[in-house]
Amino acid sequence: PTPSITMAGYGGMQPGIILLREGTDQSQGKAQLVSNINACQAVADTVRTTLGPRGMDKLVFDGQRVTISNDGATIMKLLDIVHPAAKTLVDISMSQDAEVGDGTTSVVLLAGEVLKQIKPFVEEGLHPQIIMGGLRKAAQVAVARVKEIAVDIGAADNRSMLETFAGTALNSKLISNQKALFCPMVVDAVSILDMEPAPDLDMVGIKKVPGGDVTQSFLVEGVAFKKAFSYAGFGLVYCFCIISKPA
């Protein structure tokens, strides 16, 4: 008779088979953790010089077109990052851009700096759970300190400060030279919204019209939508219909 073999170590089940693409490197342990940190630091160093109003632009060629920008989210999106750990920095940047719309470079650099500081502990063999416990405690202390030193500027009665905040966010954008036009426009757009419980920023839309330049931009206190009209002998004519808020 044919002898039977029972896989007792796997609960009587056949062990799973892991299929990896040819050339895939599989590693684990301390060496892999250090490799992950090094990869993330390399990505952070790529966008480090774009930070701030004096940050330099990056020229990125993706194989089809050339992009020149110093916006962190744009650069991170264009980088062809293969390392799985370094890709998390791209996800962080995209999340920051979707939730806040600014600070995409800062979050990448902050994450890179945190990894740089914990690298010696990883090399010494400290368990990752202990490191994460320390980071969570540090985050709580940092948030508490920020709340402690925060100053209430009375945003409702301090329009100039709000325009300064808006200008700071525009420093790294292409329209930074037109801050005098767009800063008051941004503040007006947000001020129109209901502040209770919190302003719904999805109610603010941006409509792009071909032709002209950015200095012809203006704020509509109402609704603007694209509409097509048909005239005899003229075919379809596209224009924007504006429904302003009653005074």
Side-chain angles (χ1 to χ4, degrees), residues 27 40 56 58 111 126 150 160 162 165 168 173 197 212 245:
S27 59
C40 293
M56 297 182 292
K58 296 289 185 182
L126 195 63
S160 61
L162 294 178
F165 294 158
T168 301
K173 305 300 184 288
K245 180 180 178 181

Side-chain angles (χ1 to χ4, degrees), residues 82 112 236-237:
V82 179
L236 291 177
V237 178

